[in-house]
Amino acid sequence: MDMQMILMAVALVTVIGLIGAVILVVASIVMYVPVDERVEQITGVLAGANCGACGCAGCADYAKSIVEDGNDINKCIPGGAKCAAAIAQIMGVDAGNVTPMKAVVRCSGTCDKTSKRYEFQGIQSCQAVKGLYGGDGMCQFGCLGYGDCVRACAFDAVHIVDGIAKVDYGKCVGCGACAKACPNAVIDIVPENKRKPVVLCLNQQKGADTRKACTAGCIGCMKCTKVCHFDAITVENNLARIDQEKCKGCQLCVKECPVGVIHIPADA
């Protein structure tokens, strides 16, 4: 009798399993949504970083937006021109131009150029130290140096060196994840150019106060503006700024800067 009950139970479970399987098969057929094969093809040629630089949630989402919504095909910054060309071939369109982008840390405040206002003992995070009196550095405009950008980078392109973030331009793909993670907005994503310089400082204090905070800070002396023949440099709020569109890469400003705060990013 017990064996008969066991066999009946096994049979019942088997029947229920078969019914469930049939229901799932029918549901998958009825609820099937056709997927354009180009979405999978494009996903396959994307960089696969899921960095969000394209403005989408991830690579698959970006691929879907290209096929279904007509999104631009050259937004995969890590993939660059090669990726755009592959997508163009799949979509049957022109690839256009893709300008390589790189991250630039706009701070020169290494350990020998500036110092700390206090010793921070909390969570080793830029966000955490930023919340305590605006940061522990003498310059409240500079890199905090606790590595939020390092942890955000999926390409091992950012490291803390001598107290501040430093970008490995051989690895950087310009995805912008590090810039989003920086609470002091010290990191910019700019077009890659081996000749055009940038001002590696964001301090907007008067020159004398800047010097007290960091010996490598821009003092707003305007010497760079006087040697620039292309009207590419302006000084606003005691800080020099270079218009990358107007800059011709002559590098006269690099030589003229008395505090050495203007650099070619790759040489910084």
Side-chain angles (χ1 to χ4, degrees):
M1 187 67 178
D2 291 339
M3 181 59 69
Q4 186 177 3
M5 293 293 291
I6 293 173
L7 292 175
M8 289 180 61
V10 171
L12 180 62
V13 171
T14 302
V15 170
I16 293 174
L18 289 172
I19 294 173
V22 171
I23 292 173
L24 289 174
V25 170
V26 172
S28 66
I29 295 173
V30 173
M31 301 177 67
Y32 173 72
V33 178
V35 178
D36 193 316
E37 63 179 11
R38 293 177 298 176
V39 174
E40 294 184 0
Q41 292 174 353
I42 293 173
T43 302
V45 301
L46 290 172
N50 291 310
C51 60
C54 58
C56 299
C59 294
D61 189 44
Y62 176 45
K64 184 178 179 181
S65 72
I66 292 174
V67 174
E68 297 183 0
D69 304 322
N71 200 348
D72 293 337
I73 66 171
N74 58 358
K75 289 185 176 181
C76 182
I77 296 175
K82 183 178 179 180
C83 178
I87 297 173
Q89 186 173 5
I90 294 170
M91 295 297 295
V93 298
D94 182 26
N97 295 319
V98 178
T99 302
M101 306 293 283
K102 298 291 182 181
V104 172
V105 180
R106 295 192 60 190
C107 178
S108 300
T110 53
C111 294
D112 60 325
K113 303 291 177 55
T114 188
S115 57
K116 301 289 187 180
R117 291 187 294 137
Y118 59 85
E119 186 177 350
F120 181 67
Q121 297 291 343
I123 300 172
Q124 298 298 290
S125 162
C126 299
Q127 289 283 357
V129 72
K130 175 70 175 179
L132 188 62
Y133 306 114
D136 59 351
M138 287 296 293
C139 175
Q140 295 190 35
F141 297 88
C143 175
L144 294 162
Y146 286 87
D148 287 15
C149 53
V150 176
R151 291 182 283 274
C153 181
F155 304 94
D156 190 37
V158 188
H159 302 92
I160 301 300
V161 180
D162 202 11
I164 63 173
K166 187 174 180 63
V167 178
D168 182 337
Y169 290 98
K171 296 180 178 179
C172 178
V173 298
C175 70
C178 56
K180 294 176 183 177
C182 179
N184 262 8
V186 169
I187 304 177
D188 284 343
I189 307 300
V190 301
E192 181 180 23
N193 192 297
K194 295 182 179 180
R195 292 200 57 81
K196 293 185 179 182
V198 294
V199 180
L200 301 186
C201 179
L202 288 177
N203 196 316
Q204 298 181 26
Q205 296 175 300
K206 292 182 178 180
D209 293 327
T210 297
R211 293 290 288 176
K212 291 178 182 178
C214 178
T215 58
C218 176
I219 56 177
C221 65
M222 301 187 71
K223 287 186 176 182
C224 53
T225 65
K226 295 174 183 177
V227 298
C228 181
H229 302 303
F230 308 102
D231 194 31
I233 309 178
T234 56
V235 175
E236 299 177 7
N237 296 323
N238 308 303
L239 178 64
R241 302 176 188 276
I242 299 177
D243 185 331
Q244 295 291 309
E245 293 294 326
K246 293 181 178 180
C247 178
K248 304 301 181 183
C250 70
Q251 302 182 19
L252 289 177
C253 57
V254 177
K255 301 174 183 177
E256 189 68 17
C257 180
V259 292
V261 77
I262 305 178
H263 293 273
I264 307 301
D267 298 333

